[in-house]
Amino acid sequence: MDRRTVGIVMNGVTGRMGYRQHLVRSILAIREQGGLTLADGTVVWPEPVLVGRNAAKLEQLAELHGLTRYTTDLAAALADDSNEIYFDAQVTTARVAALRQAIAAGKHVYTEKPTAESLADAVALADEARAAGVKHGVVADKLYLPGLLKLRRLVESGFFGRILSVRVEFGYWVFEGDWQTAQRPSWNYRSEDGGGIILDMFPHWRYVLDHVIAPVRSVYAQMATHIPQRWDEQGNAYPATADDAAYAVLELEGGIVASVNSSWTTRVDRTELVTFHVDGTEGSAVAGLRNCRIQHRATTPKPVWNPDLPVSHDFRDQWSELPENDTYDNGFKRQWEEFLAYVVADAPYGHDLYAGARGVQLAELGLQSAREGRKILVGDL
Ligand SMILES: NC(=O)c1ccc[n+]([C@@H]2O[C@H](COP(=O)([O-])OP(=O)(O)OC[C@H]3O[C@@H](n4cnc5c(N)ncnc54)[C@H](O)[C@@H]3O)[C@@H](O)[C@H]2O)c1
């Protein structure tokens, strides 16, 4: 059995996403299962080198997980030929420069979203990677959620008939940070530091809608900074300059209308932190992170509007849960496995830096729409 070690420069592993999802739940999990076995029997063994700004934190992380390689010197890590892949989960503002450096060093690159803060930068990055002949990939984790995999299965089965509309509800209350600590990093609430819910979430909505429902053709967005002051990790008050909620209406190919609410200033009255409600002529579904409930045309009740009488239906009871029919591994890990197979064996891989740029495009046009108060067409890239 051939074993193929692949060095991976992992930048930003002291952060929330870099540590939990990418290092622990993906790369270390792949090592714990004995590596990634490819179709031809080759076992791919990911060998991370942890990169960041704080050597003490990196050393601590490396020790905690029995790793030996860490450095604060990105250029040195990139100069090492045994490192074939550069991965980026840094704050968004630091991403473009680091990816450029990695592409120039001839590394394959894999990155968190958004790939850049502007469409021009996102497209330039993709062009540079293509010109350099390196492989490139962007995280599209929501597509691997059990709830969305089930929704996709429904779409492919023809369950919906003609899809009419989609309603996406995403969000929860993110504490301001004064009397309870905030559960998200403070840079998310400062636009000068790459924050804002549109830049954060619209890249996700782009690939989810494009892949699961239909391609996005236009956007109208209203954004708000509902909470103007928050408190940072040190307990200091700061002005929140970024949008903390966005209310968008998108048109998808085929005349499908998607209304998409994203908010860090809402209290949850849903079964999950994000839900996708799809209505079609033959049936409807509500998918969340894990579950997916359906109601078919034939089982649709006939409520009659009469405010004089108490509610006679338990509406949630009238839906049925879709069976699992599959096993679902962590989505970030599955995507890492696909990217590793792509790098080592040229296996198909769908989400490259151009897909990443389409996500940034929707964010940029969403922001423009909100500023100008008008609907904007989303052209092909
Ligand atoms: N795929 C997803 O579902 C998802 C979810 C959340 C965040 N993200 C993305 O992941 C990236 C990281 O987000 P996070 O929530 O893990 O953030 P975080 O603040 O927890 O981590 C940021 C990381 O970047 C490093 N960093 C590098 N340069 C920095 C600088 N100048 N200032 C501050 N930190 C710097 C930090 O040390 C840390 O390791 C963002 O681009 C974000 O959009 C993706």
Side-chain angles (χ1 to χ4, degrees), residues 12-18 53 89-92 94-95 112-114 139 141-142 184-185 187-188 200 204 332:
V13 279
T14 58
R16 275 187 333 146
M17 296 309 294
R53 298 167 302 163
Q90 295 185 97
V91 288
T92 305
R95 178 151 305 132
E112 261 297 348
K113 45 50 63 182
V139 171
D141 53 289
K142 305 290 176 275
R184 291 177 57 84
W187 65 264
N188 284 276
D200 191 31
H204 288 299
F332 290 89

Side-chain angles (χ1 to χ4, degrees), residues 69-235:
R69 305 200 309 157
Y70 64 89
T71 178
T72 56
D73 188 344
L74 174 61
L78 292 175
D80 181 340
D81 286 340
S82 72
N83 295 327
E84 296 176 54
I85 298 174
Y86 171 77
F87 168 69
D88 195 292
Q90 295 185 97
V91 288
T92 305
T93 47
R95 178 151 305 132
V96 171
L99 285 175
R100 280 219 156 105
Q101 203 178 334
I103 292 166
K107 305 298 168 188
H108 305 302
V109 291
Y110 185 54
T111 180
E112 261 297 348
K113 45 50 63 182
T115 55
E117 290 175 274
S118 74
L119 177 60
D121 277 349
V123 171
L125 263 184
D127 287 345
E128 281 169 38
R130 183 159 66 181
V134 300
K135 290 175 174 168
H136 42 105
V138 179
V139 171
D141 53 289
K142 305 290 176 275
L143 288 179
Y144 297 77
L145 290 169
L148 280 179
L149 289 167
K150 290 173 189 168
L151 181 61
R152 195 170 185 168
R153 197 205 296 160
L154 276 180
V155 173
E156 284 165 1
S157 76
F159 167 80
F160 292 105
R162 184 166 54 86
I163 295 180
L164 311 172
S165 62
V166 184
R167 199 167 69 247
V168 182
E169 286 289 343
F170 163 81
Y172 46 92
W173 191 268
V174 174
F175 281 91
E176 298 88 332
D178 49 352
W179 66 288
Q180 291 197 52
T181 51
Q183 68 272 43
R184 291 177 57 84
S186 61
W187 65 264
N188 284 276
Y189 303 91
R190 294 187 295 267
S191 48
E192 62 276 23
D193 291 333
I197 202 162
I198 290 186
L199 185 60
D200 191 31
M201 295 313 297
F202 279 33
H204 288 299
W205 307 146
R206 180 73 196 262
Y207 66 70
V208 167
L209 293 169
D210 276 1
H211 286 269
V212 181
I213 309 292
V216 177
R217 293 300 180 217
S218 79
V219 55
Y220 168 78
Q222 180 99 25
M223 65 177 166
T225 304
H226 289 303
I227 306 290
Q229 176 172 264
R230 289 177 178 269
W231 283 260
D232 67 14
E233 289 76 3
Q234 285 72 44

Side-chain angles (χ1 to χ4, degrees), residues 19-46:
Y19 178 66
R20 251 185 275 150
Q21 296 300 341
H22 294 284
L23 182 63
V24 176
R25 305 221 47 203
S26 297
I27 297 303
L28 296 181
I30 292 171
R31 289 160 64 101
E32 273 156 30
Q33 73 185 16
L36 168 69
T37 308
L38 301 181
D40 70 355
T42 305
V43 174
V44 179
W45 183 255

